[in-house]
Amino acid sequence: ERVDTLTRRALSTLQRQGLVAQGDKQAETTVREKSRPQAERDVRLSYLLKAIATQEKLFANQADVDELKKKALAETQDKPENVDKYFAERDVAIRASLSETKVLDFLKKNARLRQRREELYTWCHSSPPYLNGSVRETSSGTISSPAY
């Protein structure tokens, strides 16, 4: 399903730009093949985000939806009935988007850089590969290289 969505979007863009004719089956096949890896990543990410939302109880509730609707009413010149209709028709997508935002905010807030001390020490004290061991540290702390 995600492959179909990405393929339709890409073909539509290419058609608007005049790069692909409508109904070009070869182009559709190529775009579909190129879209598949991105679609797979998108699906894996959605499962991961949903699992985090479940574990951390980060789902959007009605108060979140109402707050967003209130902002939309304040920012738009549209009639309140149209905003209500829009939110009613897209309730699931709006809640999913709000939940995703909560998960991403949670991840940003709780992200920590971890690096083991040994890895850092090894990295800092190893010779760069381009020196091929030709430069060494002596017992006095100076750096020596073989005479040419």
Side-chain angles (χ1 to χ4, degrees):
E1 184 177 318
R2 182 68 181 150
V3 174
D4 293 338
T5 301
L6 292 175
T7 300
R8 277 194 311 274
R9 284 183 187 166
L11 284 172
S12 176
T13 300
L14 292 171
Q15 289 167 358
R16 278 194 312 267
Q17 295 172 349
L19 300 173
V20 173
Q22 191 167 358
D24 184 342
K25 294 298 180 187
Q26 183 179 1
E28 183 177 344
T29 301
T30 302
V31 169
R32 181 175 298 284
E33 289 170 8
K34 298 282 186 184
S35 298
R36 185 170 302 284
Q38 180 63 47
E40 290 171 357
R41 284 190 297 272
D42 290 353
V43 169
R44 281 194 293 273
L45 179 61
S46 71
Y47 284 129
L48 181 61
L49 292 175
K50 183 165 175 122
I52 294 169
T54 300
Q55 180 177 333
E56 300 299 327
K57 299 174 179 57
L58 297 172
F59 291 105
N61 56 35
Q62 189 59 44
D64 298 323
V65 175
D66 291 343
E67 182 180 335
L68 183 62
K69 189 188 292 186
K70 186 177 178 181
K71 286 181 186 177
L73 285 167
E75 293 174 2
T76 187
Q77 302 295 329
D78 215 348
K79 297 177 184 175
E81 306 84 45
N82 293 342
V83 174
D84 288 338
K85 181 181 177 188
Y86 178 88
F87 272 75
E89 290 173 351
R90 293 167 179 82
D91 185 64
V92 173
I94 289 169
R95 286 176 187 269
S97 178
L98 288 168
S99 294
E100 183 177 309
T101 299
K102 284 184 169 191
V103 170
L104 294 175
D105 289 345
F106 170 82
L107 291 173
K108 287 177 195 173
K109 179 181 170 192
N110 293 293
R112 290 191 175 66
L113 180 63
R114 295 184 196 177
Q115 190 164 16
R116 291 190 302 215
R117 189 174 283 168
E118 304 84 25
E119 290 175 336
L120 184 57
Y121 180 84
T122 302
W123 181 80
C124 289
H125 291 87
S126 63
S127 294
Y130 56 84
L131 294 177
N132 296 326
S134 62
V135 176
R136 317 183 272 285
E137 187 173 345
T138 65
S139 60
S140 64
T142 60
I143 296 177
S144 68
S145 62
Y148 291 100

